Amino acid sequence: MNKPDSVHPTLCDQAHVTRTTSAGWMLQRLACMNETRMQSRLKAHGLKMDHFIVLMALTEKEGASQTEIGEGLRLAGYTVSRVLDALEKQGLVKRKQDEQSRRTHRVFLTDEGRGLMPSIFGIVGEQNKELLDKLSLEDQGEFLRLLTLLTKVTGPGTN
Amino acid sequence: MNKPDSVHPTLCDQAHVTRTTSAGWMLQRLACMNETRMQSRLKAHGLKMDHFIVLMALTEKEGASQTEIGEGLRLAGYTVSRVLDALEKQGLVKRKQDEQSRRTHRVFLTDEGRGLMPSIFGIVGEQNKELLDKLSLEDQGEFLRLLTLLTKVTGPGTN
DNA sequence: TATTGTTATACTCTATAACTATA
DNA sequence: TATAGTTATAGAGTATAACAATA
């Protein structure tokens, strides 16, 4: 009422352009769909996202302490505790006392956990294939290259 | 113990390769960092992510019904209800009865809500700038192009 | 009977911090 | 006193479905 009509369309256009050309917006959309899809894949193995990433971390670095796991994955200590409780109950990992210090636990995959990993890798492969499906092979490589650049230099801790 | 040592390194290597070359893994990492950053930007305006995307949707399509908002943003009906409660309490939007049907509400920005949008656009701009900062200008365009391809064809509903 | 929107409820996640046992 | 890990608890977010009012 107290503004000329011409003001409104501009705001609307700005919103449209912002949504349709914003890297962040598209990134979140894509990641959200990707996560939902991955969750349903993991569900078939009785795993949640947190379980999956902890298993991956342990496969890469067996005998990691809980603190190390948390730091690498940016998970809170209490989250690591609970995820390991669940994984231990499923017989996929086991905690052992560190030989040096009796307050740190070193975590290992069980044989069963190790036996599970190949199918987990399979899932990741399917997931990535599906994610990149819409792109030409060349563009797929390009997307990977850019993602690598964008995620590499990130934190102060090189990692 | 009951497996030869040579088996283990292979699994470990596979995990490492999987993590460092997986588009999905990097995508989730990047999106998570991006979301955290955006949340803290929005916090300065007393907004949460849901509030922000609903405001964007309304700016683009004032007078949308709650169902339409929910469909466009993939938010559950009860979420839309509650977000609108909050935004209405902040004086940023208002619900009006539809003229045709007395059970659908049409939602509009208030003048105050409209006044807020320019700074919201500003935030989005900063956010995207920061997100793409590590890439050359050319690569930034390339990343946008690929994201557009990846998010466009998605669902059965064209949208 | 189906739709729009609201509300109650339960469940999961996350965050804070208190706590135990070490060092 | 600081660290590793656990646990209790509160708060936020999400999901289910019951509900009121329309159509």
Side-chain angles (χ1 to χ4, degrees):
Chain A
M1 268 328 185
N2 47 8
K3 291 196 175 204
D5 272 13
S6 61
V7 169
H8 181 106
T10 303
L11 213 57
C12 165
D13 287 351
Q14 274 186 275
H16 181 77
V17 170
T18 297
R19 177 175 62 82
T20 56
T21 68
S22 159
W25 191 284
M26 290 188 276
L27 178 68
Q28 293 309 130
R29 264 296 180 98
L30 188 62
C32 181
M33 292 187 303
N34 185 63
E35 185 172 13
T36 303
R37 194 78 188 78
M38 187 63 180
Q39 281 167 341
S40 89
R41 283 205 156 94
L42 290 171
K43 205 169 189 174
H45 293 263
L47 294 175
K48 311 207 161 173
M49 206 52 128
D50 283 349
H51 300 187
F52 159 67
I53 63 177
V54 167
L55 283 176
M56 286 291 294
L58 282 174
T59 305
E60 210 176 321
K61 187 179 177 180
E62 280 214 56
S65 74
Q66 299 190 196
T67 302
E68 288 166 345
I69 294 169
E71 281 168 355
L73 299 173
R74 273 139 247 221
L75 293 178
Y78 57 84
T79 303
V80 177
S81 269
R82 284 167 186 166
V83 169
L84 291 178
D85 287 348
L87 291 175
E88 212 164 24
K89 195 178 293 180
Q90 291 177 83
L92 299 174
V93 311
K94 61 192 168 228
R95 290 183 245 226
K96 294 183 184 172
Q97 288 287 351
D98 184 279
E99 290 168 5
Q100 254 75 129
S101 162
R102 291 203 303 160
R103 73 183 168 188
T104 103
H105 299 163
R106 301 262 152 217
V107 189
F108 298 84
L109 292 177
T110 62
D111 287 344
E112 193 184 341
R114 237 167 269 124
L116 177 63
M117 290 315 292
S119 69
I120 298 287
F121 294 144
I123 282 180
V124 177
E126 289 170 30
Q127 178 71 21
N128 282 322
K129 184 154 176 280
E130 185 181 301
L131 170 61
L132 300 174
D133 216 348
K134 302 187 190 79
L135 301 182
S136 69
L137 272 184
E138 193 185 345
D139 279 351
Q140 291 185 16
E142 190 69 350
F143 190 62
L144 273 173
R145 179 180 71 80
L146 295 169
L147 274 180
T148 305
L149 285 173
L150 285 166
T151 53
K152 189 158 39 177
V153 205
T154 303
T158 317
N159 184 23
Chain B
M1 265 332 185
N2 47 8
K3 292 195 174 204
D5 272 12
S6 61
V7 168
H8 181 104
T10 302
L11 212 56
C12 165
D13 287 351
Q14 273 186 276
H16 181 76
V17 170
T18 297
R19 178 175 62 82
T20 56
T21 68
S22 159
W25 192 283
M26 291 189 275
L27 178 68
Q28 293 308 132
R29 265 296 182 100
L30 187 62
C32 182
M33 293 187 303
N34 185 63
E35 185 173 12
T36 302
R37 194 77 188 79
M38 187 62 181
Q39 280 168 342
S40 89
R41 283 204 155 93
L42 290 171
K43 205 169 189 174
H45 293 263
L47 294 176
K48 311 209 161 172
M49 207 52 129
D50 283 350
H51 300 187
F52 158 67
I53 62 177
V54 167
L55 283 176
M56 287 291 294
L58 282 175
T59 305
E60 210 175 321
K61 187 179 177 180
E62 279 214 57
S65 74
Q66 299 190 197
T67 301
E68 287 166 346
I69 294 169
E71 282 169 354
L73 299 173
R74 273 138 244 224
L75 293 178
Y78 58 85
T79 304
V80 176
S81 268
R82 284 166 187 168
V83 169
L84 291 179
D85 286 348
L87 292 175
E88 213 165 22
K89 196 177 294 179
Q90 290 176 85
L92 300 174
V93 310
K94 61 190 169 234
R95 291 183 243 225
K96 293 183 186 174
Q97 288 288 351
D98 184 279
E99 289 168 5
Q100 253 78 123
S101 161
R102 290 204 303 160
R103 74 183 167 190
T104 103
H105 299 163
R106 302 263 152 217
V107 189
F108 299 85
L109 294 176
T110 61
D111 286 344
E112 195 183 339
R114 236 167 269 125
L116 178 62
M117 291 315 292
S119 68
I120 298 287
F121 294 142
I123 281 180
V124 176
E126 289 170 30
Q127 178 71 20
N128 282 322
K129 184 153 177 278
E130 185 181 301
L131 170 61
L132 299 174
D133 216 350
K134 303 188 190 80
L135 301 181
S136 69
L137 271 184
E138 193 185 345
D139 279 351
Q140 291 185 16
E142 191 68 351
F143 190 61
L144 272 174
R145 179 181 71 81
L146 295 168
L147 274 180
T148 305
L149 284 173
L150 285 166
T151 53
K152 189 158 40 179
V153 206
T154 301
T158 317
N159 184 22

